Amino acid sequence: MPSESAKLEFTKHAIDAMTERAIPMEWVEWVVTEPGLREPDPDDPAVERFFRRIPEQDNRVLRVAVNTRVAPWRVVSVFFDRNMKGKL
């Protein structure tokens, strides 16, 4: 988990997804710093998936994919994960 002083970096894809889906950066930071669930990405060993319900979005689950093997951590993808509905 990034320290208080460490910031997250965002790929262009992640920024575009956040803009397109109206996902505030604060939500992404919250999911990464206080995840409800954290698991490895099955397709990429450098990436971890962070999940958290977002009350402001009817408790939909936000998934944030992060490359945790670089410093600072790099957010690579952000979206509401319909497959996690009722699982978190």
Side-chain angles (χ1 to χ4, degrees):
M1 191 166 299
S3 69
E4 294 288 327
S5 60
K7 297 231 179 224
L8 296 171
E9 284 188 351
F10 294 81
T11 63
K12 181 179 182 329
H13 172 78
I15 291 170
D16 290 346
M18 290 165 56
T19 301
E20 186 177 297
R21 299 171 179 132
I23 298 171
M25 189 173 298
E26 292 80 17
W27 290 356
V28 174
E29 292 170 346
W30 184 44
V31 170
V32 173
T33 58
E34 298 178 40
L37 175 67
R38 180 177 172 177
E39 64 184 21
D41 185 297
D43 301 320
D44 187 341
V47 174
E48 290 187 58
R49 296 174 176 179
F50 294 77
F51 301 87
R52 186 170 185 96
R53 287 184 298 134
I54 304 297
E56 296 87 347
Q57 288 292 310
D58 297 323
N59 282 319
R60 292 169 65 198
V61 176
L62 186 62
R63 178 200 289 188
V64 180
V66 181
N67 181 337
T68 57
R69 294 204 180 159
V70 296
W73 286 2
R74 186 173 301 122
V75 175
V76 294
S77 182
V78 178
F79 64 94
F80 286 102
D81 191 338
R82 293 180 184 165
N83 294 325
M84 291 299 290
K85 186 176 183 175
K87 296 180 182 177
L88 190 63

